[in-house]
Coordinates of all heavy atoms in Angstrom, one line a residue:
M1 N 133.4 186.7 24.8 CA 132.9 186.4 23.5 C 131.4 186.9 23.4 O 131.1 187.5 22.3 CB 132.9 184.8 23.4 CG 132.4 184.4 22.0 SD 133.5 184.9 20.7 CE 132.7 184.1 19.4
F2 N 130.6 186.7 24.4 CA 129.2 187.2 24.4 C 129.2 188.7 24.3 O 128.4 189.3 23.5 CB 128.5 186.7 25.6 CG 127.1 187.3 25.7 CD1 126.1 186.8 24.8 CD2 126.8 188.3 26.6 CE1 124.8 187.3 24.9 CE2 125.5 188.8 26.7 CZ 124.5 188.3 25.8
E3 N 130.1 189.4 25.0 CA 130.1 190.9 25.0 C 130.5 191.4 23.6 O 130.0 192.4 23.1 CB 131.1 191.4 26.0 CG 130.5 191.3 27.4 CD 131.5 191.8 28.4 OE1 132.5 192.5 28.1 OE2 131.2 191.6 29.6
T4 N 131.4 190.7 22.9 CA 131.9 191.1 21.6 C 130.7 191.0 20.6 O 130.5 191.9 19.8 CB 133.1 190.2 21.2 OG1 134.1 190.3 22.1 CG2 133.6 190.7 19.8
I5 N 130.0 189.9 20.7 CA 128.9 189.7 19.8 C 127.8 190.7 20.0 O 127.2 191.2 19.1 CB 128.3 188.2 19.9 CG1 129.4 187.2 19.4 CG2 127.0 188.0 19.1 CD1 129.0 185.8 19.7
T6 N 127.6 191.0 21.3 CA 126.6 192.0 21.7 C 127.0 193.4 21.2 O 126.1 194.1 20.7 CB 126.3 192.0 23.2 OG1 126.0 190.7 23.6 CG2 125.2 192.9 23.6
L7 N 128.2 193.7 21.3 CA 128.7 195.0 20.8 C 128.6 195.1 19.3 O 128.2 196.2 18.8 CB 130.1 195.2 21.3 CG 130.3 195.6 22.8 CD1 131.8 195.6 23.1 CD2 129.7 196.9 23.1
I8 N 128.9 194.1 18.6 CA 128.8 194.1 17.2 C 127.3 194.2 16.8 O 127.0 195.0 15.9 CB 129.4 192.8 16.5 CG1 130.9 192.9 16.7 CG2 129.0 192.7 15.1 CD1 131.6 191.6 16.3
F9 N 126.4 193.5 17.4 CA 125.0 193.6 17.2 C 124.5 195.0 17.4 O 123.7 195.6 16.6 CB 124.3 192.5 18.0 CG 122.8 192.6 17.8 CD1 122.2 192.1 16.7 CD2 121.9 193.0 18.9 CE1 120.8 192.2 16.5 CE2 120.6 193.0 18.7 CZ 120.0 192.6 17.5
L10 N 124.9 195.6 18.6 CA 124.4 196.9 18.9 C 125.0 198.0 17.9 O 124.3 198.9 17.6 CB 124.8 197.3 20.3 CG 124.0 196.6 21.4 CD1 124.7 196.8 22.8 CD2 122.6 197.0 21.4
G11 N 126.2 197.7 17.5 CA 126.8 198.6 16.4 C 126.0 198.6 15.1 O 125.8 199.6 14.5
L12 N 125.6 197.4 14.7 CA 124.8 197.2 13.5 C 123.4 197.9 13.7 O 122.9 198.5 12.7 CB 124.7 195.7 13.2 CG 126.0 195.0 12.7 CD1 125.7 193.5 12.5 CD2 126.5 195.7 11.4
I13 N 122.9 197.7 14.8 CA 121.6 198.4 15.1 C 121.7 199.9 15.0 O 120.9 200.6 14.4 CB 121.0 198.0 16.5 CG1 120.5 196.5 16.4 CG2 119.9 198.9 16.9 CD1 120.0 196.0 17.7
S14 N 122.8 200.4 15.5 CA 123.1 201.9 15.5 C 123.2 202.3 14.1 O 122.7 203.4 13.7 CB 124.3 202.2 16.3 OG 124.1 202.0 17.7
V15 N 124.0 201.6 13.3 CA 124.2 202.0 11.9 C 122.9 201.9 11.1 O 122.6 202.8 10.3 CB 125.3 201.1 11.2 CG1 125.4 201.3 9.7 CG2 126.6 201.4 11.8
A16 N 122.1 200.9 11.3 CA 120.8 200.7 10.6 C 119.9 201.9 11.0 O 119.2 202.4 10.2 CB 120.2 199.4 10.9
A17 N 119.8 202.2 12.3 CA 119.0 203.3 12.7 C 119.5 204.6 12.2 O 118.6 205.5 11.8 CB 118.9 203.4 14.3
A18 N 120.8 204.8 12.1 CA 121.3 206.1 11.5 C 120.9 206.2 10.0 O 120.5 207.3 9.6 CB 122.8 206.1 11.7
I19 N 121.1 205.1 9.3 CA 120.7 205.1 7.9 C 119.2 205.4 7.7 O 118.7 206.2 6.9 CB 121.1 203.8 7.2 CG1 122.6 203.8 7.1 CG2 120.5 203.7 5.8 CD1 123.2 202.4 6.7
F20 N 118.4 204.7 8.6 CA 117.0 205.0 8.6 C 116.6 206.4 8.9 O 115.8 207.0 8.2 CB 116.3 204.0 9.6 CG 114.8 204.2 9.6 CD1 114.0 203.7 8.6 CD2 114.2 204.9 10.7 CE1 112.6 203.9 8.7 CE2 112.8 205.1 10.7 CZ 112.0 204.6 9.7
A21 N 117.3 207.0 9.9 CA 117.0 208.4 10.2 C 117.4 209.3 9.1 O 116.7 210.4 8.9 CB 117.8 208.8 11.5
I22 N 118.4 209.0 8.3 CA 118.8 209.9 7.2 C 117.8 209.8 6.1 O 117.5 210.8 5.5 CB 120.2 209.5 6.7 CG1 121.3 209.9 7.8 CG2 120.6 210.2 5.4 CD1 122.6 209.3 7.5
Y23 N 117.4 208.6 5.7 CA 116.6 208.5 4.5 C 115.1 208.5 4.7 O 114.3 208.5 3.8 CB 117.0 207.2 3.8 CG 118.3 207.3 3.2 CD1 119.4 206.6 3.7 CD2 118.5 208.1 2.1 CE1 120.6 206.7 3.1 CE2 119.8 208.2 1.5 CZ 120.8 207.5 2.1 OH 122.1 207.6 1.5
T24 N 114.6 208.5 6.0 CA 113.1 208.6 6.2 C 112.6 210.0 5.9 O 113.3 210.9 6.0 CB 112.7 208.1 7.6 OG1 111.3 208.0 7.7 CG2 113.2 209.1 8.6
R25 N 111.4 210.0 5.5 CA 110.7 211.3 5.2 C 109.9 211.8 6.4 O 109.5 213.0 6.4 CB 109.8 211.2 4.0 CG 110.6 210.8 2.7 CD 110.0 211.6 1.6 NE 110.8 211.3 0.4 CZ 111.4 212.2 -0.3 NH1 111.4 213.4 0.2 NH2 112.1 211.9 -1.4
R26 N 109.7 211.0 7.3 CA 108.9 211.4 8.5 C 109.9 211.8 9.6 O 110.8 211.1 10.0 CB 108.1 210.2 9.0 CG 107.1 209.7 7.9 CD 106.1 208.8 8.4 NE 105.4 209.5 9.5 CZ 104.5 208.9 10.2 NH1 104.2 207.7 10.1 NH2 103.8 209.6 11.1
V27 N 109.7 213.0 10.1 CA 110.6 213.6 11.1 C 110.4 212.8 12.4 O 111.4 212.6 13.1 CB 110.3 215.1 11.3 CG1 111.1 215.7 12.4 CG2 110.4 215.8 10.0
V28 N 109.2 212.4 12.8 CA 109.0 211.7 14.1 C 109.8 210.4 14.0 O 110.4 210.0 15.0 CB 107.5 211.5 14.3 CG1 107.3 210.6 15.5 CG2 106.8 212.8 14.5
S29 N 109.8 209.7 12.9 CA 110.5 208.5 12.8 C 112.0 208.7 12.9 O 112.7 207.9 13.5 CB 110.2 207.8 11.4 OG 108.9 207.5 11.3
A30 N 112.5 209.8 12.4 CA 113.9 210.1 12.5 C 114.3 210.4 13.9 O 115.4 210.0 14.4 CB 114.3 211.3 11.6
V31 N 113.4 211.1 14.7 CA 113.7 211.4 16.1 C 113.8 210.1 16.9 O 114.6 209.9 17.7 CB 112.7 212.4 16.6 CG1 112.8 212.5 18.1 CG2 112.8 213.8 16.0
I32 N 112.8 209.2 16.6 CA 112.8 208.0 17.4 C 114.0 207.1 17.0 O 114.6 206.5 17.9 CB 111.5 207.2 17.1 CG1 110.3 208.0 17.7 CG2 111.5 205.8 17.6 CD1 109.0 207.5 17.4
A33 N 114.4 207.2 15.7 CA 115.6 206.4 15.3 C 116.9 207.0 16.0 O 117.8 206.2 16.4 CB 115.8 206.5 13.8
S34 N 116.9 208.3 16.2 CA 118.1 208.9 16.9 C 118.0 208.5 18.4 O 119.1 208.3 19.0 CB 118.1 210.4 16.8 OG 117.1 211.0 17.5
G35 N 116.9 208.3 19.0 CA 116.7 207.8 20.3 C 117.2 206.4 20.4 O 117.8 206.0 21.4
V36 N 117.0 205.6 19.4 CA 117.5 204.2 19.4 C 119.0 204.1 19.3 O 119.6 203.3 20.0 CB 116.8 203.4 18.2 CG1 117.5 202.1 18.0 CG2 115.3 203.2 18.4
I37 N 119.5 205.1 18.6 CA 121.0 205.1 18.5 C 121.6 205.5 19.9 O 122.6 204.8 20.3 CB 121.4 206.2 17.5 CG1 121.0 205.8 16.1 CG2 122.9 206.5 17.5 CD1 121.1 206.9 15.0
S38 N 121.0 206.4 20.6 CA 121.5 206.8 21.9 C 121.3 205.6 22.9 O 122.2 205.4 23.7 CB 120.8 208.0 22.4 OG 121.2 209.2 21.8
L39 N 120.2 204.9 22.8 CA 119.9 203.8 23.7 C 120.9 202.7 23.5 O 121.5 202.1 24.4 CB 118.5 203.3 23.5 CG 118.0 202.3 24.6 CD1 118.1 202.9 26.0 CD2 116.6 201.9 24.2
S40 N 121.2 202.4 22.2 CA 122.2 201.3 21.9 C 123.6 201.8 22.4 O 124.4 201.0 22.9 CB 122.2 200.9 20.5 OG 122.6 202.0 19.6
A41 N 123.9 203.1 22.2 CA 125.2 203.6 22.7 C 125.3 203.5 24.2 O 126.4 203.1 24.7 CB 125.4 205.0 22.3
S42 N 124.2 203.7 24.9 CA 124.3 203.6 26.4 C 124.5 202.1 26.8 O 125.2 201.9 27.8 CB 123.0 204.2 27.0 OG 121.9 203.4 26.7
I43 N 123.9 201.2 26.1 CA 124.1 199.8 26.4 C 125.6 199.4 26.1 O 126.2 198.7 26.8 CB 123.1 198.9 25.6 CG1 121.7 199.2 26.1 CG2 123.5 197.4 25.9 CD1 120.7 198.5 25.3
M44 N 126.1 200.0 25.0 CA 127.5 199.7 24.7 C 128.5 200.2 25.8 O 129.4 199.6 26.2 CB 127.9 200.4 23.4 CG 127.4 199.7 22.2 SD 128.1 200.4 20.7 CE 126.7 200.4 19.6
F45 N 128.2 201.4 26.3 CA 128.9 202.0 27.4 C 128.8 201.1 28.6 O 129.8 201.0 29.4 CB 128.5 203.4 27.7 CG 128.9 204.4 26.7 CD1 128.0 205.4 26.3 CD2 130.2 204.5 26.2 CE1 128.3 206.3 25.3 CE2 130.6 205.4 25.2 CZ 129.6 206.3 24.8
L46 N 127.7 200.6 28.9 CA 127.5 199.7 30.1 C 128.3 198.5 29.9 O 129.0 198.0 30.9 CB 126.0 199.4 30.2 CG 125.6 198.7 31.5 CD1 125.9 199.5 32.7 CD2 124.2 198.3 31.5
L47 N 128.4 197.9 28.7 CA 129.2 196.7 28.5 C 130.7 197.0 28.6 O 131.5 196.1 28.8 CB 128.8 196.1 27.2 CG 127.4 195.4 27.1 CD1 127.1 194.9 25.7 CD2 127.3 194.3 28.1
A48 N 131.0 198.2 28.3 CA 132.4 198.6 28.3 C 132.9 199.0 29.7 O 133.9 199.6 29.9 CB 132.7 199.7 27.3
A49 N 132.0 198.7 30.7 CA 132.3 199.0 32.1 C 132.4 200.5 32.4 O 133.3 201.0 33.2 CB 133.6 198.3 32.6
A50 N 131.5 201.3 31.8 CA 131.4 202.7 32.1 C 130.0 203.0 32.5 O 129.2 203.6 31.7 CB 131.9 203.5 30.9
P51 N 129.5 202.6 33.7 CA 128.1 202.8 34.0 C 127.7 204.2 34.2 O 126.5 204.6 33.9 CB 128.0 202.0 35.3 CG 129.3 201.9 35.9 CD 130.3 201.9 34.7
D52 N 128.6 205.1 34.6 CA 128.3 206.5 34.8 C 128.0 207.1 33.4 O 127.0 207.9 33.2 CB 129.4 207.3 35.5 CG 130.7 207.0 34.9 OD1 130.9 206.1 34.1 OD2 131.6 207.9 35.2
V53 N 128.8 206.8 32.4 CA 128.6 207.4 31.1 C 127.3 206.8 30.5 O 126.5 207.4 29.8 CB 129.8 207.1 30.2 CG1 129.6 207.6 28.8 CG2 131.0 207.7 30.8
A54 N 127.1 205.5 30.7 CA 125.9 204.8 30.2 C 124.6 205.4 30.8 O 123.6 205.7 30.0 CB 125.9 203.3 30.6
M55 N 124.6 205.7 32.1 CA 123.4 206.3 32.7 C 123.2 207.8 32.1 O 122.1 208.2 31.9 CB 123.6 206.4 34.2 CG 123.4 205.1 34.9 SD 121.8 204.3 34.7 CE 120.8 205.4 35.6
T56 N 124.3 208.5 31.9 CA 124.1 209.8 31.4 C 123.6 209.8 30.0 O 122.7 210.6 29.6 CB 125.5 210.6 31.4 OG1 126.0 210.6 32.8 CG2 125.4 212.0 30.9
E57 N 124.1 208.9 29.2 CA 123.7 208.8 27.8 C 122.2 208.3 27.7 O 121.5 208.8 26.9 CB 124.6 207.8 27.0 CG 124.2 207.6 25.6 CD 124.4 208.8 24.7 OE1 125.3 209.6 25.0 OE2 123.6 208.9 23.7
A58 N 121.8 207.4 28.6 CA 120.5 206.9 28.6 C 119.5 208.0 29.0 O 118.5 208.2 28.4 CB 120.3 205.7 29.5
T59 N 119.8 208.8 30.0 CA 118.9 209.8 30.5 C 118.9 211.0 29.6 O 117.8 211.5 29.2 CB 119.2 210.3 31.9 OG1 120.6 210.7 32.0 CG2 119.0 209.1 32.9
I60 N 120.0 211.5 29.2 CA 120.1 212.7 28.4 C 119.9 212.4 26.9 O 119.1 213.0 26.2 CB 121.3 213.5 28.6 CG1 121.3 214.0 30.1 CG2 121.5 214.7 27.7 CD1 122.6 214.7 30.5
G61 N 120.7 211.5 26.4 CA 120.7 211.2 25.0 C 119.4 210.5 24.5 O 118.8 211.0 23.6
A62 N 119.1 209.4 25.1 CA 117.9 208.7 24.7 C 116.6 209.2 25.3 O 115.6 209.2 24.6 CB 118.0 207.2 25.1
G63 N 116.6 209.7 26.5 CA 115.4 210.2 27.1 C 115.1 211.6 26.9 O 114.1 211.9 26.2
L64 N 115.8 212.5 27.4 CA 115.5 213.9 27.4 C 115.6 214.5 26.0 O 114.6 215.3 25.6 CB 116.5 214.7 28.4 CG 116.2 216.2 28.6 CD1 114.9 216.3 29.3 CD2 117.3 216.8 29.4
T65 N 116.6 214.2 25.3 CA 116.7 214.8 23.9 C 115.5 214.4 23.0 O 114.9 215.2 22.3 CB 118.0 214.4 23.3 OG1 119.1 214.8 24.1 CG2 118.2 215.0 21.9
T66 N 115.1 213.1 23.1 CA 114.0 212.6 22.3 C 112.7 213.3 22.7 O 111.9 213.7 21.8 CB 113.9 211.1 22.4 OG1 115.1 210.5 22.1 CG2 112.8 210.5 21.6
V67 N 112.5 213.4 24.0 CA 111.3 214.1 24.5 C 111.2 215.6 24.1 O 110.2 216.1 23.6 CB 111.2 214.0 26.0 CG1 110.1 214.8 26.6 CG2 110.9 212.5 26.4
I68 N 112.4 216.2 24.1 CA 112.4 217.7 23.7 C 112.2 217.8 22.2 O 111.4 218.7 21.8 CB 113.8 218.3 24.1 CG1 113.8 218.5 25.7 CG2 114.0 219.6 23.4 CD1 115.2 218.9 26.2
F69 N 112.7 216.9 21.4 CA 112.5 217.0 20.0 C 111.0 216.8 19.7 O 110.4 217.5 18.9 CB 113.3 216.0 19.2 CG 114.7 216.4 18.9 CD1 115.8 215.6 19.0 CD2 115.0 217.7 18.5 CE1 117.1 216.0 18.7 CE2 116.3 218.1 18.2 CZ 117.3 217.3 18.3
L70 N 110.4 215.7 20.3 CA 109.0 215.5 20.1 C 108.1 216.6 20.5 O 107.1 217.0 19.9 CB 108.6 214.1 20.7 CG 109.2 212.9 20.1 CD1 108.9 211.7 20.9 CD2 108.8 212.7 18.6
Y71 N 108.5 217.2 21.7 CA 107.7 218.4 22.2 C 107.8 219.5 21.2 O 106.8 220.2 20.9 CB 108.3 218.7 23.5 CG 107.6 219.9 24.2 CD1 106.3 219.7 24.8 CD2 108.2 221.2 24.3 CE1 105.7 220.8 25.4 CE2 107.5 222.2 24.9 CZ 106.3 222.0 25.4 OH 105.7 223.1 26.1
A72 N 109.0 219.8 20.7 CA 109.2 220.9 19.7 C 108.4 220.6 18.4 O 107.8 221.5 17.9 CB 110.7 221.1 19.4
L73 N 108.4 219.4 18.0 CA 107.7 219.1 16.8 C 106.2 219.3 17.0 O 105.5 219.7 16.1 CB 107.9 217.6 16.3 CG 109.3 217.3 15.7 CD1 109.5 215.8 15.5 CD2 109.4 218.1 14.4
K74 N 105.7 218.9 18.1 CA 104.3 219.1 18.4 C 103.9 220.6 18.4 O 102.9 221.0 17.8 CB 104.0 218.6 19.8 CG 102.5 218.8 20.3 CD 102.3 218.4 21.7 CE 101.0 218.9 22.2 NZ 100.9 218.9 23.7
H75 N 104.8 221.5 18.9 CA 104.5 222.9 18.9 C 104.7 223.5 17.5 O 104.0 224.5 17.2 CB 105.4 223.6 19.9 CG 104.8 223.5 21.3 ND1 103.8 224.2 21.8 CD2 105.2 222.6 22.3 CE1 103.5 223.8 23.0 NE2 104.3 222.9 23.4
I76 N 105.6 223.0 16.7 CA 105.7 223.5 15.4 C 104.5 223.1 14.6 O 104.0 224.0 13.8 CB 107.0 222.8 14.7 CG1 108.2 223.4 15.3 CG2 107.0 223.1 13.2 CD1 109.5 222.8 14.9
R77 N 104.0 221.9 14.7 CA 102.8 221.5 14.0 C 101.6 222.4 14.5 O 100.7 222.8 13.7 CB 102.5 220.1 14.2 CG 103.4 219.2 13.4 CD 103.1 217.8 13.5 NE 104.0 217.0 12.7 CZ 104.3 215.8 13.0 NH1 103.8 215.1 14.0 NH2 105.2 215.1 12.3
A78 N 101.5 222.6 15.8 CA 100.4 223.4 16.3 C 100.4 224.9 15.8 O 99.4 225.5 15.5 CB 100.4 223.4 17.8
S79 N 101.6 225.4 15.7 CA 101.7 226.8 15.2 C 101.5 226.9 13.7 O 100.9 227.9 13.2 CB 103.1 227.4 15.5 OG 104.1 226.7 14.7
R80 N 101.8 225.8 13.0 CA 101.4 225.8 11.5 C 99.9 225.8 11.3 O 99.4 226.3 10.3 CB 102.1 224.6 10.8 CG 103.5 224.8 10.6 CD 104.1 223.7 9.8 NE 105.5 223.8 9.5 CZ 106.2 222.9 9.0 NH1 105.7 221.8 8.6 NH2 107.5 223.1 8.8
E81 N 99.2 225.1 12.2 CA 97.8 224.9 12.1 C 97.1 226.1 12.7 O 95.8 226.2 12.7 CB 97.3 223.6 12.8 CG 97.8 222.4 12.0 CD 97.5 221.1 12.8 OE1 96.9 221.2 13.9 OE2 97.9 220.0 12.3
G82 N 97.8 227.0 13.4 CA 97.2 228.2 14.0 C 96.7 228.0 15.4 O 95.9 228.7 15.9
K83 N 97.1 226.8 16.0 CA 96.6 226.5 17.4 C 97.8 226.7 18.3 O 98.5 225.8 18.6 CB 96.1 225.1 17.5 CG 94.9 224.8 16.6 CD 94.5 223.4 16.9 CE 95.1 222.4 16.0 NZ 94.7 221.0 16.1
D84 N 97.9 227.9 18.8 CA 99.0 228.2 19.8 C 98.5 227.8 21.2 O 97.4 228.2 21.6 CB 99.4 229.6 19.8 CG 100.1 230.0 18.6 OD1 100.8 229.1 18.0 OD2 100.1 231.2 18.2
D85 N 99.2 226.9 21.9 CA 98.8 226.5 23.2 C 99.2 227.4 24.3 O 100.2 228.0 24.4 CB 99.4 225.1 23.5 CG 98.8 224.0 22.7 OD1 97.6 224.2 22.3 OD2 99.4 223.0 22.5

């Protein structure tokens, strides 16, 4: 019963974060919202007794992808301002 309620709650968080990512005008906020979606998906996988998939989703989906997007945004902004690192 607790797992079902938790899965429903995480699903609602994922849907809310997806809607937020679609309609926000700030790119950084959209990237962070996509990280929240991946993090909630990894918790769902963990509750579904798939710890290997959960760990992969958490490290690659929530962690690495978010960091790469933020790094790319930083370099795009720097190149627009004429500051190449």
Side-chain angles (χ1 to χ4, degrees):
M1 181 67 179
F2 175 73
E3 288 181 7
T4 305
I5 293 171
T6 306
L7 286 172
I8 291 171
F9 179 69
L10 289 170
L12 291 174
I13 288 175
S14 295
V15 170
I19 292 171
F20 178 77
I22 291 170
Y23 289 111
T24 187
R25 296 217 177 245
R26 301 189 63 185
V27 179
V28 174
S29 299
V31 169
I32 291 172
S34 72
V36 169
I37 294 168
S38 285
L39 189 60
S40 64
S42 68
I43 296 170
M44 285 187 220
F45 288 134
L46 188 63
L47 291 175
D52 52 341
V53 180
M55 288 297 293
T56 304
E57 180 66 29
T59 55
I60 295 174
L64 186 64
T65 304
T66 303
V67 169
I68 288 173
F69 276 141
L70 292 174
Y71 182 77
L73 284 173
K74 176 185 167 197
H75 281 282
I76 289 171
R77 287 185 181 151
S79 68
R80 284 185 181 174
E81 295 172 1
K83 297 185 268 183
D84 290 330
D85 290 334

